[in-house]
Amino acid sequence: MKLITNLICVFDVKNAAALILAVLLTACGGDDGEPGNPGEPGGPPATDISSLNVEVDEVIFTHGVATVNYSVNNQDDEPVVGIPSSTYIAAQLLPQGFTNAGNTSQWQYFTSESCTSSCTGELVDHKNGKYSYTFSAAFDGMNEMSYMPGATQRIVIKIGGDSLPDGTALPTTNQNFDWQDSGEVAYTRNLISMETCNTCHNDLAFHGSKYNEIETCVTCHSEGKVSSNDNIFPQMIHGKHLTGFPGSLADCQTCHVNDETLTENMNWARVPGMEACGSCHTDINFPAGEGHPAQVDNSNCVACHNPDWTMSVHDGGNDEALAQFNAQITAASLSGTTVTFSIKLSNPESGEVYTDSADKLNFISRLGVETNWGTSFDYSSNSAKRLTISSETPDSGADGIYTYQVTGLTIPTGSETDRGAIVIKGSICANGNQLADCEMETSTVLVLQASHQFFDTTNITATGRRVVVTNETCSTCHVLTQLKKHSGERNDAEAQCQLCHNNFKTADETAQNPQATSSDYKHLAHTLHAGMRSNYADIKYPGDIGNCAQCHIEDEDSVLTAALPLDSAVQPLMLNDGSFTSPTAAICSACHTSDSAKNHMTQQGAVFMGTEEDATSGTESCATCHGQGATADVLTVHPIK
Amino acid sequence: MKTHIMNTLAQHTIKMSLVAIAMTSVFSPAIADGYGLAQVNRTSLKLDKWQCKRCKISTDTQGSIGAGLAYNDGSDPRFGNTSGTDKDGLVGHLDADVTLKNESGYRTEITANKLGYDNGSATLTTGKPGQYEVAFGYRGIANYDTNRALTPYMVKRDAMLLPEDWQTGATTGQMVSLIDSVKQAELMTQRDSLTLDAHYKGDFYKAELDYQHQERSGQGAFSGNLLTNSAMLAQPIDDSIDNLGAKIYFNGDGWLAGINTMLSQYKNDHDALSWDSAFSPTFGAAYSGQSATAPDNKAYRIAGNAQFSDNGQQILMHTGFSRFTQEQTFLPATINGPSPDLPSANLDGQVDMIEMTIKYSGRITSELSLRASYDYKDRDNKTEIHDYPQVITDSYFSGTATNPEYDRTRQKAKLAAKYRFSRNVYLDVGYEYDHNNYSDLDRETLHESSLYGHLSYRPSHAWSFRFKAKAQDRSGSEYKPVSRTDSPSNPLLRKTYLADREHQEYKLSANYTGSALFSASASLHISQDDYTDTQIGLTDIDTSGYDISGQYRVNEDLSLNAFLNQDWRDSEQAGSSNFSTPNWYTTADEQSTVVGLGILYQNLLDKTLSLGVDYNYSDGQSDTQVSQGLTTPYGAYFSTSHNVNAFADYQMSESIALRFDWIFEQYQDADWSNQGMSVDSIPNVLIFGDLSHDYNAHYFGVTLSYSL
């Protein structure tokens, strides 16, 4: 079918009869009779477009054929006229329990129709930001699905990804509209929002970047549309996250967040079924009774797996019990090579201070401190000093505040007035939502969120080593207490890891990318997430690796901490053979590994595997062009969002 | 027969006037049977004058005995509910109605009705009517459901056993020997009660002793659950109830007082019901299940009544105390694996009930009378509260739970007035307040106010009209869903019996009794229940209906009667599939129709033949549909019956009569929950199969009776 352009509004009103005038006024909304004047919302067509706002006014259903009337505006509510291409997807939702007792609601796909130079159905561009699309035929029977009056229907409109005739680029936009042929939509299936996905992924888009909303995905990834049931959305999306997931898969609420604006946000716990559950519990064959007593359908699931049970085993942790314990370093100071510190253990819920010391509290599984010196030069020794206070009698103290000492720190000459960092980490025991004796069989061990304090020779200080990533930014993807290394206990990614993962961790000079062999924190973090380390080669970074702001925070001047020049505390990369690579080059070349990149860096003063003296002589001139505000600022050349 | 009735009436009238009979009916049943009598000016009555001069005390033996033989179609035992027996083929019964008397007034009565059938009865009463009497009685009541419940289980005392070669399956479809093993089981109950009643009436007192022993046998449906699997079982029923009651009442001038006591004991021959699991164990080794049956229990009650009347005013007081106890030994919490310890050997349950009533009624003026009453009832569960281990369907231990008390105190106050505007019109209005305190429920208090009135208008002797209206408003304390259960209910759910409710009902009726040959009545009624604060749960009920009936005596010999009744009840319910605001709705539309026609033709063939035929049609159905955008109707749920009951009574000679009975019933019912299903239709429930009925059945009986 040909694209039909609405020409009524360019009619010369002055020569028209009064009746036609009335019709035109209704159709075009203008009252000055000027040809082509767009109607509501009025104003000239948008020329500056950073986002598209698609609003569906109505779906008119005539003899089973749907016409969708919608408007497209830009970010300033100006009408967008002349959109060159669009796609329309139609699907139907069957309510929960409709297909059989216990079954979840499910989508049924009808059709996807597109308009470019020609249309599957019939598109009218009203030239005022309003559009009407009439599907090519009745939904009933399309894709062998029956249209059911009263069922919730969905139309997805996809526009953008191309440009207006004048060259203005249109961002890819998916907009869904749920409707029902008689009144309000009676039920929905809004389980997850795209924002949740995009906290870890950045701007997910699939199928040629056309589809970027979960509301779109589910319409096609549905039974009867995809050839394999493994590609039905719940099964597919669970399956895809089974490997390489940075948090606990058992915590359903990482993705199924408790968002009240999503009508079915608790569907994951309330409507258990073999399809969704079996997509993670892949060792179960429900009908055959393997790995689970035989179940031929979903009608029984909830009898045992009631919502409370499901939530209790899939919450990924025990926040209620953890909230009853806090370990706080109240004082710390360095004298000679000894750190003296005090710790207060309390229950923040009740305000109670535990009067016993850590070695006497039976619900403490393990509690330890780690400390290192030299925050202005990224620490002074290969490994931090440790003390396990859960098995240590305190040196002094009473009534909940106890004092301990860690001896034998490395204090380089001249750094006596520098600062240090001390971290407390460990785990506690709980039974249900109450703290419990670790000796009890029923107790489970819960990992604490570690925390740090900076200190000097007199007491704790507000600042210490620079903070460029925070636990919060790491937590957009990770559940820090569930990190696989170090029993999950060393989880203060903001300031703990750096105590040991410092510049004394050497790199393999023979490696193609030596930084990918160093466990110095910055190199470890960059190369690990980029999937460059041989022992973690299967890591697929879920977002855009060039988006430094996914992990890095802004400093007090609101400048992203990925900016150049580097902080003076950053040390060069130390290699096994005793050579060094200058600090900026070491960081940049961890990702920009090509010879041409390295040549460019060398030409601009970088030192690769040179002497320590050369590598620290300050010949790097990276900041001249790539510094903050410069022509090729790293903050602008990276796709930072 | 006629003289016999006259005699009895004559004797009664000596002691009790018709006015008194009418008055006693106002009082509560506990003091009925002659003791509600207000003994006004009794002394001045010339009782001798009331003696029926024409009545002669006959000393003959009177009445008839009979024996009957019938053919009964028992292929569907449900027909037995109509014919009185489920036996197929020839059945016999005895009937009797014999009175023996002597001149001193001593009288013995023997009756028998269909004795020999499951639904049969017999009585032997002897004594001096009005002074003392002893009565022995037997009554059988059978209730037949089906004989087509398909089950592979066999009953062995308290155990339901599967065939020895049974192969378990994870689902019913995987039970390979199921189809070959099922047999038809009958679901029916038979109650046989024996009664012994004695009463003695002195000058100023009356004493009464009643004893009843009732045995129940048969099989009923029971659901044996193990975790998510369930089997329907034909549970054997063998239990008995013994009731012993004693009353003594004293009466004087304008007063009456008495004590009423009762002892009751329930005994169940089955202490437990165990069953082999037809399913493969879901977890562990749960190969069989066990469930407690109704426990043995006892109750006693003692109550006192007093009543005073003077000058058209009465005060009635009643107080009672009842105690219910139950100390059946507990079964282990589970028979699958080690059973968690129970806190005691038995419940040692005790519930005490106290009730008090005071009622006043009095005529203030000749136009106005007032009624007032106050009721107090208190249920106090004195059972000790313990932590009991909870075992989910005999499978796994899931923590402890305490026994809730469910105490309740109910107070009701009523005030009503009746005003007679004229001989033809009166208005009766009343107000009632009902206040309840509960424990362990979602509401602590619940109170309801009712206002009602009825207007009676009798424009002529022939016509009377009545209009009744009632409005009720129920509310209570804050609704706080109980938190005892693992699965809390939706906070918007309001349980029907505790929810705020506005109720209205209206009834308009008309009666015509203007002719000796023809009488008729008609009424129309509607009601509405609106659960005003319920978002989830039952939200609305509307009922409406009408009744029409008429009798017409065409002549001395022929009379006709007919009635028609139709009722509708539409209810609405709302639910939420996502534990939030309502998003699905149910309507249940029920309707019933009953039609009856009867013809009686007497005095045929020189007054030796009577013919009668009754036809009844009844139909009930319920249509339920659930809608959540899409509307899903439930399946069929109905029952329809056509019933013809015809007889011919032929007096062959002075003393021999022959009676022919023909009963025909066409019956059909269906319930979507089992209609068209086989035993393995539901994967995790072993069901009885399709239990619907569809039959045409006849009963032909001939009874030969001999008049003494």
Side-chain angles (χ1 to χ4, degrees), chain B residues 223-269:
Chain B
S223 179
N225 303 325
L226 279 174
L227 207 58
T228 59
N229 297 321
S230 180
M232 291 185 77
L233 305 169
Q235 175 190 19
I237 299 169
D238 295 282
D239 56 14
S240 66
I241 297 174
D242 290 280
N243 282 325
L244 178 65
K247 296 175 190 171
I248 184 152
Y249 279 83
F250 301 92
N251 57 289
D253 197 13
W255 66 271
L256 170 80
I259 292 171
N260 195 339
T261 59
M262 195 269 293
L263 269 172
S264 173
Q265 175 166 274
Y266 171 81
K267 272 191 176 166
N268 193 340
D269 291 353

Side-chain angles (χ1 to χ4, degrees), chain B residues 527-531 538-544 567-573 586-592 621-623:
Chain B
S527 81
Q528 193 176 49
D529 280 338
D530 183 3
Y531 293 87
L538 184 67
T539 54
D540 280 292
I541 306 173
D542 286 310
T543 70
S544 57
D567 273 292
W568 290 269
R569 184 181 195 273
D570 298 341
S571 52
E572 289 176 21
Q573 196 183 330
T586 302
T587 59
D589 295 345
E590 290 157 35
Q591 83 168 72
S592 70
Q621 68 178 71
S622 173
D623 293 312

Side-chain angles (χ1 to χ4, degrees), chain A residues 3 24 42 54 82 123 142 169 178 225 234 332 381 386 420 422 448 451 486-487 493 505 512 540 570 575 608 614 639:
Chain A
L3 184 102
L24 291 177
V54 180
L123 175 67
M142 282 183 169
D178 292 356
K225 168 60 176 164
S381 72
R386 293 163 203 172
I422 184 165
L448 296 166
S451 64
H486 310 300
S487 315
K505 299 292 182 196
Q512 205 182 354
K540 287 198 189 94
V570 182
L575 294 114
F608 283 93
D614 288 347

Side-chain angles (χ1 to χ4, degrees), chain A residues 341-560:
Chain A
F341 64 92
S342 299
I343 278 191
K344 181 169 105 176
L345 307 178
S346 64
N347 179 348
E349 291 273 281
S350 64
E352 177 200 356
V353 175
Y354 296 112
T355 48
D356 280 331
S357 55
D359 54 320
K360 303 233 165 55
L361 292 170
N362 63 17
F363 60 80
I364 292 179
S365 170
R366 183 161 55 182
L367 203 60
V369 294
E370 286 161 358
T371 180
N372 207 341
W373 184 257
T375 59
S376 70
F377 50 91
D378 283 6
Y379 302 115
S380 64
S381 72
N382 195 1
S383 276
K385 282 287 172 189
R386 293 163 203 172
L387 182 74
T388 305
I389 65 166
S390 53
S391 54
E392 192 79 17
T393 311
D395 296 332
S396 61
D399 293 338
I401 298 182
Y402 292 92
T403 302
Y404 304 82
Q405 285 191 333
V406 187
T407 56
L409 270 72
T410 305
I411 315 293
T413 311
S415 73
E416 292 82 358
T417 57
D418 209 83
R419 287 176 183 178
I422 184 165
V423 171
I424 182 144
K425 58 98 195 172
S427 47
I428 54 172
C429 300
N431 183 5
N433 54 15
Q434 294 299 317
L435 299 181
D437 187 347
C438 295
E439 298 289 319
M440 305 272 283
E441 244 177 58
T442 49
S443 295
T444 49
V445 176
L446 307 174
V447 174
L448 296 166
Q449 175 59 51
S451 64
H452 65 272
Q453 289 290 350
F454 296 115
F455 64 93
D456 60 14
T457 51
T458 57
N459 207 339
I460 55 177
T461 59
T463 56
R465 187 190 186 271
R466 68 191 177 285
V467 173
V468 294
V469 296
T470 63
N471 290 336
E472 196 182 336
T473 56
C474 297
S475 298
T476 56
C477 294
H478 291 281
V479 177
L480 289 172
T481 53
Q482 290 163 2
L483 288 174
K484 291 194 178 74
K485 286 283 178 181
H486 310 300
S487 315
E489 289 180 0
R490 292 192 180 126
N491 54 36
D492 181 10
E494 196 170 303
Q496 178 178 25
C497 312
Q498 297 87 338
L499 297 185
C500 299
H501 292 276
N502 57 31
N503 58 294
F504 288 96
K505 299 292 182 196
T506 55
D508 178 2
E509 76 283 359
T510 64
Q512 205 182 354
N513 182 357
Q515 288 89 322
T517 65
S518 165
S519 61
D520 184 357
Y521 193 63
K522 53 190 140 321
H523 303 308
L524 174 70
H526 289 157
T527 56
L528 186 68
H529 287 105
M532 288 174 163
R533 296 178 82 88
S534 57
N535 50 346
Y536 290 101
D538 61 344
I539 282 187
K540 287 198 189 94
Y541 188 69
D544 189 337
I545 192 71
N547 177 19
C548 309
Q550 181 76 30
C551 307
H552 282 276
I553 58 162
E554 291 178 349
D555 63 16
E556 58 271 22
D557 301 323
S558 301
V559 177
L560 195 71

Side-chain angles (χ1 to χ4, degrees), chain B residues 578-596:
Chain B
N578 56 359
F579 206 73
S580 173
T581 48
N583 64 2
W584 60 261
Y585 304 88
T586 302
T587 59
D589 295 345
E590 290 157 35
Q591 83 168 72
S592 70
T593 303
V594 182
V595 178

